């Protein structure tokens, strides 16, 4: 019986035991046959534009990471500046307490801090974030 040109050809290969385990594990996790996974890997390896596709995918990932880092830098900058403005205004406007009033102030400060933490928790859980209230920088 002659073989048809469109029929798949059989190939027998020897794999390192560790590589065979990786292949079997990958195929099992994907619910695919080992042969199908090996065929796709070989095709990807032999395709002339495989390097370009890999580079494009890597570039997209790096761009996404870069944008995330830029947002983090912006958010940290906002937080630092907000904290600095708050500390400057608080230290400027708050006179030192007399010794007799310090104990009561510490008690009241503890209560206020607890209320602050509750408000912070509510805002982080669902309220608007400061970074959303600050307009984006124009370059």
């Amino acid at each position: 019986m002659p073989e048809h040109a469109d029929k798949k050809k059989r190939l027998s290969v020897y794999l390192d035991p560790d590589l065979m385990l990786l292949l079997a594990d990958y195929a099992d996790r994907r619910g695919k046959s080992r042969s199908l996974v090996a065929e796709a890997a070989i095709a990807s390896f032999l395709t002339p534009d495989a390097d370009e596709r890999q580079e494009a995918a890597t570039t997209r990932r790096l761009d996404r990471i870069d944008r995330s880092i830029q947002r983090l830098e912006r958010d940290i900058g906002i937080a630092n500046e907000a904290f600095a403005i708050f500390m400057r205004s608080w230290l400027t406007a708050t006179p030192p307490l007399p010794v007799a009033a310090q104990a009561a102030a510490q008690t009241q400060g503890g209560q206020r801090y607890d209320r602050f933490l509750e408000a912070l928790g509510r805002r982080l859980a669902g309220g608007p974030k400061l970074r959303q209230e600050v307009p984006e920088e124009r370059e």
Side-chain angles (χ1 to χ4, degrees):
M1 187 171 6
E3 290 189 41
H4 298 290
D6 59 342
K7 195 172 190 180
K8 289 189 177 188
K9 308 288 186 198
R10 180 175 178 83
L11 171 68
S12 182
V13 296
Y14 294 97
L15 297 177
D16 181 87
D18 291 336
L19 185 57
M20 186 63 182
L21 286 173
L22 289 172
L23 173 64
D25 182 54
Y26 186 87
D28 291 344
R29 282 186 286 123
R30 299 283 194 247
K32 305 289 181 185
S33 71
R34 294 174 191 174
S35 178
L36 183 65
V37 172
E39 181 180 2
I42 292 168
S44 177
F45 183 79
L46 296 177
T47 303
D49 63 326
D51 290 338
E52 290 83 12
R53 282 191 317 227
Q54 182 65 33
E55 184 177 340
T58 301
T59 300
R60 283 191 305 272
R61 288 182 192 118
L62 288 173
D63 287 344
R64 192 171 43 241
I65 290 169
D66 184 53
R67 286 190 303 274
S68 294
I69 289 173
Q70 287 175 356
R71 282 191 302 273
L72 285 171
E73 287 174 341
R74 178 181 181 269
D75 293 351
I76 289 170
I78 291 169
N80 287 343
E81 290 302 316
F83 182 69
I85 290 169
F86 169 78
M87 287 305 300
R88 181 176 291 134
S89 64
W90 184 80
L91 291 171
T92 301
T94 307
L97 293 174
V99 176
Q102 287 181 0
Q106 286 178 343
T107 300
Q108 187 181 27
Q111 294 168 349
R112 292 170 103 183
Y113 183 71
D114 290 341
R115 287 195 305 270
F116 165 76
L117 290 178
E118 289 171 9
L120 178 62
R122 282 192 307 273
R123 185 164 174 135
L124 290 175
K129 308 292 187 271
L130 177 62
R131 69 170 182 237
Q132 294 166 332
E133 296 174 10
V134 176
E136 290 286 332
E137 292 179 31
R138 305 273 184 212
E139 293 183 26

